[in-house]
Amino acid sequence: MENAMDVEKFKHGMRRLASGVSLITTVRDGQRHGLTATAVSSVSAAPPSLLVCVAQSASAHDAIVAAGKLCVNILSAQQETNAMRFGRSDGRDSRFEHGNWQTLKTGAPALAGSLATFDCEVRQTIPYTSHSILICEIVDVALWDTPLQPLVYFNSAFVQL
C-alpha cells in the first residue's frame, strides 16, 4: 500500500469479504482458552485439514500454539452472543460459563449446538507478520442437532443468510 487512499480501499474491500464465524478453542494445563475467528478455510480432504489464522496479539494465541490442539466450532445464526463474548477482551474468565461444552478426542472444548465442531491437532505453525497460520489435521468431527443457519461476518457486522 503506497498511500492512505490505498489503505482505505483495502480496508473497505476487506469489509466486503463475507466469512463464516467460528470459535477457536483449546485447553492447556487445565485452562480453557478461546477466541472468535473468521479466518478459517478447508485445506484438503486427505488428510482432512483446515487452515486457521490467529492474531499473535490475541490472548489465546500462545495457549493454542503451545497446546498443539484446537476445536473449530462453526457458529450458527443463533450463537451471535457467543461470538461477541469470545471476541471481547473483557470477561475472558467467563467465556466458557455459557453453552454446553464437551470434549472430543483432543480434549479441546467443543461447543454442542454449533453447526459443526472440527477437533484438530496443529501440524504446522507459520508466523506471518501479525498472525500465525495454523495448518490443522482434523481428528474428529461432531455434527450437532441444530438448524443449519450459519453466522456470517460481513461489512463489519454479524449477518444471517
Side-chain angles (χ1 to χ4, degrees):
M1 305 294 157
E2 293 179 336
N3 59 44
M5 179 64 167
D6 291 336
V7 171
E8 288 306 307
K9 281 184 180 179
F10 169 77
K11 288 179 182 178
H12 286 292
M14 290 303 293
R15 290 175 61 160
R16 296 177 183 190
L17 178 62
S19 300
V21 182
S22 299
L23 297 183
I24 309 303
T25 57
T26 195
V27 63
R28 181 170 184 240
D29 299 329
Q31 292 282 91
R32 296 184 290 184
H33 304 271
L35 54 87
T36 302
T38 57
V40 174
S41 181
S42 172
V43 173
S44 103
S49 51
L50 296 173
L51 175 147
V52 178
C53 296
V54 178
Q56 294 168 1
S57 62
S59 63
H61 174 273
D62 293 348
I64 291 168
V65 171
K69 59 187 174 185
L70 58 85
C71 278
V72 175
N73 301 279
I74 302 171
L75 298 184
S76 73
Q78 292 73 34
Q79 294 173 314
E80 183 176 332
T81 303
N82 291 71
M84 302 276 288
R85 183 176 296 113
F86 277 73
R88 291 191 314 255
S89 60
D90 62 321
R92 288 185 186 124
D93 295 335
S94 63
R95 287 179 175 171
F96 291 93
E97 290 178 4
H98 307 278
N100 179 4
W101 294 97
Q102 300 181 15
T103 57
L104 304 177
K105 287 185 181 177
T106 69
L111 180 59
S114 59
L115 293 179
T117 298
F118 296 100
D119 195 23
C120 302
E121 294 177 351
V122 178
R123 296 295 186 219
Q124 187 174 3
T125 302
I126 305 163
Y128 185 76
T129 64
S130 62
H131 284 67
S132 291
I133 301 164
L134 309 175
I135 307 297
C136 305
E137 186 173 333
I138 301 166
V139 297
D140 201 2
V141 178
L143 301 175
W144 311 100
D145 186 23
T146 188
L148 297 179
Q149 298 172 326
L151 182 62
V152 177
Y153 194 72
F154 176 73
N155 200 23
S156 298
F158 294 111
V159 298
Q160 300 176 22
L161 294 180

